[in-house]
Coordinates of all heavy atoms in Angstrom, one line a residue:
M2 N 0.8 -1.2 0.0 CA 0.0 0.0 0.0 C 0.9 1.2 0.0 O 1.9 1.3 0.6 CB -0.9 0.0 1.2 CG -2.0 1.0 1.2 SD -3.1 0.8 2.6 CE -2.9 2.4 3.3
S3 N 0.5 2.3 -0.7 CA 1.3 3.5 -0.8 C 1.1 4.3 0.6 O 0.2 4.1 1.4 CB 0.8 4.3 -1.9 OG -0.6 4.7 -1.8
A4 N 2.0 5.3 0.7 CA 2.0 6.1 1.9 C 0.7 6.9 2.0 O 0.2 7.4 1.0 CB 3.2 7.0 1.9
T5 N 0.2 7.0 3.2 CA -1.0 7.8 3.4 C -0.7 9.3 3.3 O 0.3 9.8 3.8 CB -1.6 7.6 4.8 OG1 -1.9 6.2 4.9 CG2 -2.9 8.3 5.1
K6 N -1.6 10.0 2.6 CA -1.4 11.4 2.3 C -2.6 12.2 2.6 O -3.7 11.6 2.8 CB -0.9 11.7 0.9 CG -1.8 11.2 -0.2 CD -1.2 11.2 -1.6 CE -2.1 10.7 -2.6 NZ -2.7 9.4 -2.5
K7 N -2.5 13.5 2.5 CA -3.6 14.4 2.7 C -4.7 14.1 1.7 O -4.5 13.9 0.5 CB -3.2 15.9 2.5 CG -4.2 16.9 2.8 CD -3.6 18.3 2.7 CE -4.7 19.4 2.9 NZ -4.1 20.7 2.8
G8 N -6.0 14.0 2.2 CA -7.1 13.6 1.3 C -7.5 12.1 1.4 O -8.5 11.8 0.9
D9 N -6.6 11.3 2.0 CA -6.9 9.9 2.1 C -7.8 9.6 3.3 O -7.9 10.5 4.3 CB -5.6 9.1 2.3 CG -4.8 8.9 1.0 OD1 -5.4 9.2 -0.1 OD2 -3.6 8.6 1.1
L10 N -8.4 8.5 3.4 CA -9.2 8.0 4.5 C -8.3 7.0 5.3 O -7.5 6.3 4.7 CB -10.5 7.3 4.1 CG -11.6 8.1 3.6 CD1 -12.7 7.2 3.2 CD2 -12.1 9.1 4.6
I11 N -8.4 7.1 6.7 CA -7.7 6.1 7.5 C -8.7 5.5 8.4 O -9.7 6.2 8.8 CB -6.5 6.7 8.3 CG1 -6.9 7.9 9.1 CG2 -5.4 7.0 7.4 CD1 -5.9 8.4 10.1
Y12 N -8.5 4.3 8.8 CA -9.4 3.5 9.7 C -8.8 3.7 11.1 O -7.6 3.4 11.3 CB -9.5 2.1 9.3 CG -10.2 1.2 10.3 CD1 -11.6 1.2 10.3 CD2 -9.5 0.5 11.2 CE1 -12.3 0.4 11.2 CE2 -10.2 -0.3 12.1 CZ -11.6 -0.4 12.1 OH -12.2 -1.1 13.1
I13 N -9.6 4.0 12.1 CA -9.1 4.2 13.5 C -10.0 3.3 14.3 O -11.3 3.5 14.4 CB -9.2 5.6 13.9 CG1 -8.4 6.5 13.0 CG2 -8.7 5.8 15.4 CD1 -8.5 8.0 13.2
P14 N -9.5 2.3 15.0 CA -10.3 1.4 15.9 C -10.8 2.2 17.1 O -10.5 3.3 17.4 CB -9.2 0.4 16.4 CG -8.0 0.6 15.5 CD -8.1 2.0 15.0
S15 N -11.8 1.5 17.8 CA -12.3 2.1 19.0 C -11.2 2.2 20.1 O -10.2 1.5 20.0 CB -13.5 1.3 19.5 OG -13.1 0.0 19.8
D16 N -11.5 3.0 21.1 CA -10.6 3.2 22.2 C -9.3 3.9 21.9 O -8.3 3.9 22.6 CB -10.3 1.9 23.0 CG -11.6 1.3 23.6 OD1 -12.4 2.1 24.0 OD2 -11.7 0.1 23.5
V17 N -9.2 4.5 20.7 CA -8.0 5.3 20.3 C -8.3 6.8 20.7 O -9.3 7.3 20.5 CB -7.7 5.2 18.8 CG1 -6.6 6.1 18.4 CG2 -7.3 3.7 18.5
R18 N -7.2 7.4 21.2 CA -7.3 8.8 21.7 C -7.0 9.8 20.5 O -6.0 9.6 19.8 CB -6.4 9.1 22.8 CG -6.4 10.5 23.4 CD -5.5 10.7 24.5 NE -5.8 9.8 25.5 CZ -5.7 10.1 26.8 NH1 -5.2 11.2 27.2 NH2 -6.1 9.2 27.7
L19 N -7.9 10.8 20.3 CA -7.6 11.9 19.4 C -7.3 13.1 20.3 O -8.0 13.3 21.3 CB -8.8 12.2 18.5 CG -9.4 11.0 17.7 CD1 -10.6 11.5 16.9 CD2 -8.4 10.5 16.8
V20 N -6.4 13.9 19.9 CA -6.1 15.1 20.7 C -6.1 16.4 19.8 O -5.9 16.3 18.6 CB -4.7 15.0 21.4 CG1 -4.6 13.9 22.4 CG2 -3.6 14.9 20.4
R21 N -6.4 17.5 20.5 CA -6.4 18.8 19.9 C -5.3 19.6 20.5 O -5.0 19.5 21.7 CB -7.7 19.6 20.0 CG -8.8 18.8 19.3 CD -10.1 19.6 19.2 NE -9.9 20.8 18.5 CZ -10.4 22.0 18.9 NH1 -11.1 22.1 20.0 NH2 -10.2 23.1 18.2
K22 N -4.5 20.3 19.7 CA -3.4 21.1 20.2 C -3.5 22.6 19.9 O -4.1 22.9 18.9 CB -2.1 20.5 19.6 CG -1.9 19.0 20.0 CD -0.6 18.5 19.4 CE -0.5 17.0 19.8 NZ 0.9 16.5 19.5
D23 N -2.8 23.4 20.8 CA -2.8 24.8 20.5 C -1.6 25.1 19.6 O -0.9 24.2 19.1 CB -2.7 25.6 21.8 CG -1.4 25.4 22.6 OD1 -0.5 24.7 22.1 OD2 -1.4 25.8 23.8
R24 N -1.3 26.3 19.3 CA -0.3 26.7 18.3 C 1.1 26.3 18.7 O 2.0 26.1 17.9 CB -0.3 28.2 18.1 CG -1.6 28.7 17.3 CD -1.6 30.2 17.1 NE -2.9 30.7 16.7 CZ -3.2 30.9 15.5 NH1 -2.4 30.6 14.5 NH2 -4.4 31.3 15.2
E25 N 1.3 26.2 20.1 CA 2.6 25.8 20.6 C 2.8 24.3 20.6 O 3.8 23.8 21.0 CB 2.8 26.4 22.0 CG 3.1 27.9 22.0 CD 1.8 28.7 21.8 OE1 0.8 28.3 22.3 OE2 1.9 29.7 21.1
G26 N 1.7 23.5 20.4 CA 1.8 22.1 20.4 C 1.3 21.4 21.7 O 1.4 20.2 21.8
A27 N 0.8 22.2 22.6 CA 0.4 21.7 23.9 C -1.1 21.1 23.7 O -1.9 21.7 23.0 CB 0.4 22.7 25.0
T28 N -1.3 20.0 24.3 CA -2.7 19.4 24.2 C -3.7 20.2 25.0 O -3.5 20.6 26.1 CB -2.7 18.0 24.8 OG1 -1.7 17.2 24.1 CG2 -4.0 17.3 24.8
V29 N -4.8 20.6 24.3 CA -5.8 21.4 25.0 C -7.1 20.6 25.1 O -8.0 21.1 25.9 CB -6.1 22.7 24.2 CG1 -4.9 23.6 24.2 CG2 -6.5 22.4 22.7
D30 N -7.3 19.5 24.4 CA -8.5 18.7 24.5 C -8.2 17.3 24.0 O -7.3 17.2 23.2 CB -9.6 19.4 23.7 CG -11.0 18.8 24.0 OD1 -11.2 18.1 25.0 OD2 -11.9 19.1 23.2
Y31 N -9.0 16.4 24.4 CA -8.9 15.0 23.8 C -10.2 14.3 23.9 O -11.1 14.7 24.6 CB -7.8 14.2 24.5 CG -8.2 13.7 25.9 CD1 -8.8 12.4 26.0 CD2 -8.0 14.4 27.0 CE1 -9.2 11.9 27.3 CE2 -8.4 14.0 28.3 CZ -9.0 12.7 28.4 OH -9.3 12.2 29.6
T32 N -10.3 13.3 23.1 CA -11.5 12.4 23.1 C -11.0 11.0 22.8 O -10.0 10.8 22.1 CB -12.6 12.9 22.1 OG1 -13.8 12.1 22.3 CG2 -12.1 12.8 20.6
V33 N -11.8 10.0 23.3 CA -11.5 8.6 23.0 C -12.6 8.1 22.2 O -13.8 8.2 22.6 CB -11.3 7.8 24.3 CG1 -11.0 6.4 24.0 CG2 -10.1 8.4 25.1
L34 N -12.3 7.5 21.0 CA -13.3 7.0 20.1 C -14.1 5.8 20.8 O -13.5 4.9 21.3 CB -12.7 6.5 18.8 CG -12.1 7.6 17.9 CD1 -11.5 7.0 16.7 CD2 -13.1 8.7 17.6
K35 N -15.4 5.9 20.8 CA -16.2 4.8 21.4 C -16.5 3.7 20.4 O -16.8 2.6 20.8 CB -17.5 5.4 21.9 CG -17.4 6.4 23.0 CD -18.7 6.8 23.5 CE -18.8 7.8 24.6 NZ -17.6 8.2 25.3
K36 N -16.4 4.0 19.1 CA -16.5 3.0 18.1 C -15.5 3.2 16.9 O -15.1 4.3 16.7 CB -18.0 3.0 17.5 CG -18.4 4.3 16.9 CD -19.9 4.2 16.4 CE -20.3 5.5 15.8 NZ -21.6 5.4 15.3
P37 N -15.2 2.2 16.2 CA -14.3 2.4 15.1 C -14.8 3.3 14.0 O -16.1 3.3 13.8 CB -14.1 0.9 14.5 CG -15.0 0.1 15.3 CD -15.7 0.8 16.3
T38 N -14.0 4.0 13.3 CA -14.4 4.9 12.3 C -13.3 5.2 11.3 O -12.2 5.0 11.5 CB -14.9 6.3 13.0 OG1 -15.5 7.1 12.0 CG2 -13.7 7.0 13.6
S39 N -13.7 5.7 10.1 CA -12.8 6.1 9.1 C -12.9 7.6 9.0 O -13.9 8.2 9.0 CB -13.2 5.5 7.7 OG -13.0 4.1 7.7
L40 N -11.7 8.2 9.0 CA -11.6 9.7 9.0 C -10.8 10.2 7.9 O -9.8 9.5 7.5 CB -11.1 10.2 10.4 CG -11.9 9.9 11.6 CD1 -11.2 10.4 12.9 CD2 -13.3 10.5 11.5
L41 N -11.0 11.4 7.5 CA -10.3 12.1 6.4 C -9.0 12.7 7.0 O -9.0 13.4 8.0 CB -11.1 13.2 5.8 CG -10.5 14.1 4.7 CD1 -10.3 13.2 3.5 CD2 -11.3 15.3 4.4
V42 N -7.9 12.4 6.3 CA -6.6 13.0 6.7 C -6.5 14.4 6.1 O -6.6 14.6 4.9 CB -5.4 12.1 6.2 CG1 -4.1 12.8 6.4 CG2 -5.5 10.7 6.8
V43 N -6.2 15.4 6.9 CA -6.1 16.8 6.5 C -4.7 17.3 6.6 O -4.3 18.4 6.2 CB -7.1 17.7 7.1 CG1 -8.5 17.4 6.7 CG2 -6.9 17.7 8.7
G44 N -3.8 16.5 7.3 CA -2.4 16.8 7.4 C -1.6 15.6 7.9 O -2.1 14.7 8.5
V45 N -0.3 15.6 7.5 CA 0.6 14.5 7.8 C 1.8 15.0 8.5 O 2.5 15.9 8.0 CB 1.0 13.7 6.6 CG1 1.9 12.6 6.9 CG2 -0.3 13.2 5.8
G46 N 2.1 14.5 9.7 CA 3.3 14.9 10.5 C 4.2 13.7 10.5 O 4.0 12.7 9.9
D47 N 5.3 13.8 11.3 CA 6.3 12.8 11.5 C 5.6 11.5 12.1 O 5.8 10.4 11.6 CB 7.5 13.2 12.3 CG 8.3 14.2 11.5 OD1 8.3 14.3 10.3 OD2 9.0 15.0 12.2
N48 N 4.9 11.7 13.2 CA 4.4 10.5 13.9 C 2.9 10.6 14.0 O 2.3 9.7 14.7 CB 5.0 10.5 15.3 CG 6.5 10.2 15.3 OD1 7.0 9.4 14.5 ND2 7.2 11.0 16.0
T49 N 2.2 11.6 13.5 CA 0.8 11.8 13.6 C 0.1 12.1 12.3 O 0.8 12.6 11.4 CB 0.5 12.9 14.6 OG1 1.0 14.1 14.1 CG2 1.0 12.6 16.0
Y50 N -1.2 11.9 12.3 CA -2.0 12.4 11.2 C -2.9 13.4 11.8 O -3.4 13.3 13.0 CB -2.9 11.3 10.6 CG -2.2 10.2 9.8 CD1 -2.2 8.9 10.2 CD2 -1.4 10.5 8.7 CE1 -1.5 7.9 9.5 CE2 -0.7 9.6 8.0 CZ -0.8 8.2 8.4 OH -0.1 7.3 7.7
E51 N -3.2 14.4 11.1 CA -4.3 15.4 11.4 C -5.5 15.0 10.7 O -5.5 14.8 9.5 CB -3.9 16.8 11.1 CG -4.8 17.9 11.6 CD -4.3 19.3 11.4 OE1 -3.2 19.4 10.8 OE2 -5.0 20.2 11.8
V52 N -6.6 14.8 11.5 CA -7.8 14.2 10.9 C -9.0 15.2 11.2 O -9.0 15.9 12.2 CB -8.2 12.8 11.4 CG1 -7.1 11.8 10.9 CG2 -8.3 12.8 12.9
L53 N -10.1 15.1 10.4 CA -11.3 15.8 10.6 C -12.3 14.9 11.4 O -12.6 13.9 10.9 CB -11.8 16.3 9.3 CG -13.0 17.3 9.3 CD1 -12.6 18.6 10.0 CD2 -13.5 17.6 7.9
Y54 N -12.7 15.4 12.5 CA -13.6 14.6 13.4 C -14.6 15.6 14.0 O -14.2 16.5 14.7 CB -12.9 13.8 14.4 CG -13.8 13.0 15.3 CD1 -14.5 11.9 14.9 CD2 -13.9 13.3 16.7 CE1 -15.3 11.1 15.7 CE2 -14.7 12.6 17.5 CZ -15.4 11.5 17.1 OH -16.2 10.8 17.9
N55 N -15.9 15.4 13.8 CA -16.9 16.3 14.4 C -16.6 17.8 14.1 O -16.7 18.6 15.0 CB -17.1 16.1 15.9 CG -17.8 14.8 16.2 OD1 -18.5 14.2 15.4 ND2 -17.6 14.3 17.4
K56 N -16.3 18.1 12.8 CA -16.1 19.4 12.3 C -14.9 20.1 12.9 O -14.7 21.3 12.9 CB -17.3 20.3 12.5 CG -18.5 19.7 11.8 CD -19.7 20.6 12.0 CE -21.0 20.0 11.4 NZ -22.1 20.8 11.6
K57 N -14.0 19.4 13.6 CA -12.7 20.0 14.2 C -11.5 19.1 13.7 O -11.7 17.9 13.4 CB -12.8 20.0 15.7 CG -13.9 20.9 16.2 CD -13.9 20.9 17.7 CE -15.1 21.8 18.2 NZ -15.2 21.7 19.7
N58 N -10.4 19.7 13.8 CA -9.1 19.0 13.4 C -8.5 18.4 14.7 O -8.4 19.1 15.7 CB -8.1 20.0 12.8 CG -8.5 20.4 11.4 OD1 -9.6 20.1 10.9 ND2 -7.6 21.1 10.7
W59 N -8.2 17.1 14.6 CA -7.6 16.4 15.7 C -6.3 15.7 15.2 O -6.2 15.5 14.0 CB -8.6 15.3 16.2 CG -9.9 15.9 16.8 CD1 -10.9 16.3 16.0 CD2 -10.2 16.1 18.1 NE1 -11.9 16.7 16.9 CE2 -11.5 16.6 18.1 CE3 -9.6 15.9 19.3 CZ2 -12.2 16.9 19.3 CZ3 -10.2 16.2 20.5 CH2 -11.5 16.7 20.5
F60 N -5.5 15.3 16.2 CA -4.3 14.5 15.9 C -4.4 13.1 16.4 O -5.0 12.9 17.5 CB -3.0 15.2 16.5 CG -2.7 16.5 15.8 CD1 -3.2 17.7 16.3 CD2 -1.9 16.5 14.7 CE1 -2.9 18.9 15.7 CE2 -1.6 17.8 14.1 CZ -2.1 18.9 14.6
V61 N -3.9 12.1 15.6 CA -3.9 10.7 16.1 C -2.6 10.2 15.7 O -2.0 10.5 14.7 CB -5.1 10.0 15.4 CG1 -4.9 9.9 13.9 CG2 -5.2 8.5 15.9
E62 N -2.0 9.3 16.6 CA -0.8 8.6 16.3 C -0.9 7.7 15.1 O -1.8 6.9 15.0 CB -0.3 7.8 17.5 CG 0.0 8.6 18.7 CD 0.4 7.8 19.9 OE1 1.4 7.0 19.7 OE2 -0.2 7.9 20.9
K63 N 0.1 7.8 14.2 CA 0.1 7.0 13.0 C 0.0 5.5 13.3 O -0.6 4.7 12.7 CB 1.3 7.2 12.2 CG 1.3 8.5 11.4 CD 2.6 8.7 10.6 CE 2.5 10.0 9.8 NZ 3.8 10.1 8.9
R64 N 0.8 5.1 14.4 CA 0.9 3.6 14.7 C -0.4 3.0 15.2 O -0.6 1.8 15.2 CB 2.0 3.4 15.7 CG 1.7 4.1 17.1 CD 2.9 3.9 18.0 NE 2.6 4.5 19.3 CZ 2.2 3.8 20.3 NH1 1.9 2.5 20.2 NH2 1.9 4.4 21.5
K65 N -1.4 3.9 15.5 CA -2.7 3.4 15.9 C -3.8 3.4 14.8 O -4.9 3.2 15.1 CB -3.2 4.2 17.1 CG -2.3 4.0 18.3 CD -2.8 4.8 19.5 CE -1.8 4.5 20.7 NZ -2.3 5.3 21.9
T66 N -3.3 3.6 13.6 CA -4.3 3.7 12.5 C -4.0 2.7 11.4 O -2.9 2.1 11.4 CB -4.3 5.1 11.8 OG1 -3.0 5.3 11.2 CG2 -4.5 6.2 12.9
Y67 N -4.9 2.5 10.5 CA -4.8 1.6 9.4 C -5.2 2.3 8.1 O -6.1 3.1 8.1 CB -5.6 0.3 9.6 CG -5.3 -0.4 10.8 CD1 -5.9 -0.2 12.0 CD2 -4.3 -1.4 10.8 CE1 -5.6 -0.9 13.2 CE2 -4.0 -2.1 11.9 CZ -4.6 -1.9 13.1 OH -4.3 -2.5 14.3
G68 N -4.6 2.0 7.0 CA -5.0 2.5 5.7 C -6.3 1.9 5.3 O -6.6 0.8 5.7
V69 N -7.0 2.6 4.4 CA -8.3 2.1 3.9 C -8.0 1.7 2.4 O -7.5 2.4 1.6 CB -9.4 3.2 3.9 CG1 -10.6 2.7 3.2 CG2 -9.7 3.6 5.4
S70 N -8.4 0.4 2.1 CA -8.2 -0.1 0.8 C -9.3 0.3 -0.1 O -10.5 0.3 0.3 CB -8.1 -1.6 0.8 OG -8.0 -2.2 -0.5
Y71 N -9.0 0.7 -1.3 CA -10.1 1.1 -2.3 C -10.4 0.0 -3.2 O -11.0 0.3 -4.3 CB -9.6 2.4 -3.0 CG -9.3 3.5 -2.1 CD1 -8.0 3.9 -1.8 CD2 -10.4 4.3 -1.6 CE1 -7.8 5.0 -0.9 CE2 -10.1 5.3 -0.7 CZ -8.8 5.7 -0.4 OH -8.6 6.7 0.5
D72 N -10.1 -1.2 -3.0 CA -10.4 -2.3 -3.8 C -11.8 -2.7 -3.8 O -12.5 -2.7 -2.8 CB -9.5 -3.6 -3.5 CG -8.0 -3.3 -3.7 OD1 -7.7 -2.4 -4.5 OD2 -7.2 -4.0 -3.1

């Protein structure tokens, strides 16, 4: 599978934490997914993806996500 990029969907299992950060990178809010979901990637960092969830941008660790196959 190719590298995940902006505009791709990723699968995130339940019980994974999403965090929101301020401009300095400090965590200001978090939520834990109650059910698995696929989210849109709006940004790619070294160890995180920025995803759109409930009309807000959140960060999730790459190692806790899976790519979505388009087959």
Side-chain angles (χ1 to χ4, degrees):
M2 190 171 122
S3 63
T5 301
K6 60 189 179 306
K7 185 176 177 179
D9 287 345
L10 288 177
I11 55 172
Y12 173 82
I13 306 173
S15 61
D16 297 323
V17 170
R18 181 181 298 217
L19 304 179
V20 297
R21 295 188 64 223
K22 298 182 179 189
D23 64 13
R24 293 180 192 263
E25 288 78 37
T28 299
V29 294
D30 194 12
Y31 76 92
T32 188
V33 178
L34 295 177
K35 294 184 183 350
K36 60 182 181 177
T38 188
S39 293
L40 297 176
L41 178 68
V42 174
V43 294
V45 179
D47 290 335
N48 298 314
T49 61
Y50 292 120
E51 188 174 0
V52 295
L53 188 62
Y54 178 70
N55 285 341
K56 300 180 185 178
K57 295 181 182 176
N58 288 7
W59 298 81
F60 292 92
V61 62
E62 292 180 57
K63 285 182 178 180
R64 64 186 181 93
K65 296 184 178 179
T66 68
Y67 300 91
V69 174
S70 175
Y71 299 103
D72 295 340

